[in-house]
Amino acid sequence: MAVLADGWHMSSHALALGLSVFAYGFARRHAHNERFAFGTWKIEILGGYTSAILLLGVAALMTFQSVERLFAPSPIHYDQAIVIAIVGLGVNLICAWWLRDQHGHEHGHSHAHAHASHHDHDHGHSHHHDLNLRSAYVHVIADAATSVLAIIALVGGKLLGAAWLDPVMGLVGAVLVTVWAWSLLRDSGRILLDAEMDAPVVAEVREVIEQGAVSARITDLHVWRVGRGKYACVVSLVTPAQVDAEFFRQALGVHEELVHVTVEVTTVPA
């Protein structure tokens, strides 16, 4: 069961890694397509989100089959299964090492779009913030962990006669996969749903506007991510001072992560 769970796991990850490749290729191919108002970066996030869903599906399958084997044990070919698990672990460690190495490199997906309002944004980014690469890395690390669990279960079963270790390790692997998948699903889902109004940059925008040299009060504020560490911002404010939107736009310019800023100013009597 441990090796079977590992096999299902690795099969799903082969598909997930294919999704990652597709996401990168599609994003690069459409980088200058003007239908994408803020570039194609979120295609990569969508790839990571899809990979997380696949992981949850595999975890459910592992759980079902492990419980089934726990109550209805079947013969285990320990020697062959241990060899297969060791080979699987080796492959996963090589893949994990290679993907981890990519974290140290910068990739230049640059999506610059000129808008009528002359707001330009450049989406240069590092793999340190790449959820699509992270999803691929998490997949192979999860595979490696389930391979280790499979080896432990099989060796324990062979030496101690504890056949129940095999399905129990399948359940432990399913729990690990679920935890990793949920973390990735949560992070990618927040970005796709623009649910990041609790990001530090939002407080920084409020501080610049409401505690600046000119008295102003924010009446409407929207901040969302458009690239790795890059945000767009739309803010409406009221002020008794005779200043235009460009004044506040320049004040917000001190925060480099704000790459697309729209300001609406309403002047009211003091």
Side-chain angles (χ1 to χ4, degrees), residues 141-179:
I141 288 296
D143 277 336
T146 52
S147 294
V148 170
L149 292 176
I151 294 170
I152 293 173
L154 292 167
V155 171
K158 180 180 180 180
L159 298 180
L160 304 175
W164 56 268
L165 277 173
D166 185 48
V168 166
M169 284 302 180
L171 289 172
V172 172
V175 171
L176 288 176
V177 172
T178 300
V179 170

Side-chain angles (χ1 to χ4, degrees), residues 43-211:
I43 293 172
E44 299 173 19
I45 304 302
L46 186 60
Y49 182 86
T50 305
S51 293
I53 292 177
L54 282 174
L55 266 177
L56 289 175
V58 170
L61 182 62
M62 290 169 64
T63 300
F64 175 80
Q65 293 191 336
S66 295
V67 171
E68 186 179 44
R69 293 291 180 93
L70 195 60
F71 290 99
S74 59
I76 302 173
H77 302 286
Y78 287 107
D79 293 336
Q80 298 93 323
I82 290 171
V83 171
I84 293 172
I86 291 174
V87 171
L89 176 61
V91 171
N92 286 315
L93 290 177
I94 291 171
C95 292
W97 173 82
W98 183 79
L99 286 170
R100 184 178 183 276
D101 187 57
Q102 303 310 303
H103 282 255
H105 293 81
E106 264 304 341
H107 283 245
H109 293 331
S110 225
H111 313 305
H113 295 258
H115 295 265
S117 57
H118 304 292
H119 300 161
D120 295 333
H121 54 278
D122 178 59
H123 298 179
H125 45 259
S126 163
H127 274 326
H128 284 290
H129 305 286
D130 186 342
L131 283 176
N132 199 44
L133 181 68
R134 177 189 161 194
S135 72
Y137 183 65
V138 166
H139 276 298
V140 295
I141 288 296
D143 277 336
T146 52
S147 294
V148 170
L149 292 176
I151 294 170
I152 293 173
L154 292 167
V155 171
K158 180 180 180 180
L159 298 180
L160 304 175
W164 56 268
L165 277 173
D166 185 48
V168 166
M169 284 302 180
L171 289 172
V172 172
V175 171
L176 288 176
V177 172
T178 300
V179 170
W180 287 325
W182 178 252
S183 174
L184 182 59
L185 195 69
R186 181 192 61 222
D187 292 346
S188 57
R190 280 167 54 90
I191 294 174
L192 291 173
L193 294 173
D194 297 325
E196 296 192 288
M197 285 299 288
D198 56 348
V201 68
V202 178
E204 293 169 358
V205 170
R206 293 187 183 278
E207 182 180 0
V208 168
I209 298 297
E210 297 181 340
Q211 299 180 23

